[in-house]
């Protein structure tokens, strides 16, 4: 419950332009809010493509989120050939859809600078000025979802 409240507060700050974090921090907030709203695991969400939203066949006030779900120890050729077994489709209410569309909008200007392998990814950001990847457009990674200790204290207060 507390995590959802903190994410909501951060979303409000992002949309009002008062968020203190980096662009990658803002994307993490969006991703975690989508994960909470949909129940999706973070790995398939991190690997989501830019065209992951689909019309819902029966509910006009919802959309479907199509994600690729990895199966543990999937080494059989059968699983590679029949990709339907690895597809995961979740119904997403329109507030969750708005979060995904905001992430798409934030990353749209970066597509021209992204490597071809990353251009179809949803969660793109420009790396900050530090490190070997400074200035490059890259997708969020699982490592980005680990909460630093200084931010974790905010969740338990």
């Amino acid at each position: 419950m507390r995590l959802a409240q903190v994410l909501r507060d951060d979303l409000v700050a992002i949309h009002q332009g008062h968020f203190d974090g980096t662009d990658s921090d803002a994307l993490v907030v969006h991703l975690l809010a989508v994960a909470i709203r949909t129940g999706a695991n973070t790995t398939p969400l991190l690997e989501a493509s830019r065209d992951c939203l689909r019309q819902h066949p029966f509910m006009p006030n919802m959309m479907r989120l199509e994600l690729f779900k990895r199966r543990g120890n999937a080494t059989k050729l059968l699983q590679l050939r029949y990709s339907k077994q690895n597809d995961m489709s979740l119904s997403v209410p329109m507030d969750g859809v708005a979060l995904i569309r905001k992430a798409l909008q934030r990353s749209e200007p970066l597509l021209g600078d992204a490597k071809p392998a990353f251009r179809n990814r949803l969660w793109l950001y420009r790396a900050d000025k530090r490190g070997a990847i400074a200035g490059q457009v890259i997708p969020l990674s699982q490592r980005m979802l680990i909460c630093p200790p200084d931010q974790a204290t905010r969740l338990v207060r």
Side-chain angles (χ1 to χ4, degrees), residues 15-87:
H15 294 294
Q16 292 179 348
H18 304 298
F19 185 67
D20 292 333
T22 64
D23 286 342
S24 62
D25 293 338
L27 277 181
V28 167
V29 170
H30 278 85
L31 182 136
L32 292 176
V34 169
I36 286 174
R37 193 66 180 112
T38 64
N41 290 331
T42 56
T43 298
L45 272 176
L46 283 167
E47 297 172 352
S49 65
R50 298 188 70 75
D51 62 350
C52 62
L53 287 175
R54 305 273 193 260
Q55 291 296 322
H56 196 286
F58 309 115
M59 309 281 290
N61 62 338
M62 295 184 95
M63 292 189 81
R64 287 183 11 222
L65 176 62
E66 291 190 359
L67 304 171
F68 179 77
K69 185 174 183 179
R70 297 172 186 251
R71 304 271 184 216
N73 297 323
T75 57
K76 292 184 180 181
L77 182 59
L78 183 65
Q79 292 183 355
L80 296 174
R81 287 178 45 197
Y82 296 103
S83 63
K84 287 277 185 200
Q85 292 178 353
N86 292 329
D87 286 342

Side-chain angles (χ1 to χ4, degrees), residues 50 110-122 124:
R50 298 188 70 75
L110 304 174
L111 292 177
D113 294 337
K115 293 180 181 178
F118 299 149
R119 288 189 186 138
N120 192 36
R121 298 288 288 274
L122 170 59
L124 293 177

